[in-house]
Amino acid sequence: MTPLEIRIELMRRGLNVSLLARKFGCRRQELSMTISQRRRYPHLREALATELSIPRKRLFNDAPASVRKAA
C-alpha cells in the first residue's frame, strides 16, 4: 500500500498517528516516518499491521531491495 492509502485506512477506522504512537509507546515522528516509508522500524511496522489487521507484507509492499530499485 502507498503511504496515502495507509493514512486513508487510518482515517476510515477513526485512528490517527498520534493516538497510535502513544499506544505503541513511540514518538509520533517515528510512526509517521514508518508510514511514509522513509525509515524502517520493524517493530512499528508489525504493530501497525496488527492494529489494522493487514499483513505486513501487503501493508508495506515488502520486497527485496534489489527488486524495489530496479529501474
Side-chain angles (χ1 to χ4, degrees), residues 10-61:
L10 290 174
M11 285 191 305
R12 281 187 187 144
R13 296 173 188 232
L15 302 170
N16 63 50
V17 175
S18 295
L19 175 76
L20 290 176
R22 281 192 296 273
K23 182 175 182 177
F24 299 158
C26 69
R27 296 184 327 186
R28 181 191 55 78
Q29 294 87 345
E30 292 173 324
L31 186 55
S32 183
M33 286 188 287
T34 299
I35 291 170
S36 66
Q37 300 175 18
R38 286 182 280 154
R39 296 284 307 260
R40 289 183 176 225
Y41 294 103
H43 64 286
L44 293 180
R45 285 179 170 220
E46 194 62 44
L48 188 59
T50 301
E51 182 71 28
L52 297 176
S53 301
I54 298 174
R56 182 186 44 80
K57 289 185 178 197
R58 180 171 158 240
L59 191 62
F60 292 102
N61 299 321

Side-chain angles (χ1 to χ4, degrees), residues 65-71:
S66 60
V67 173
R68 281 192 312 244
K69 292 182 180 180

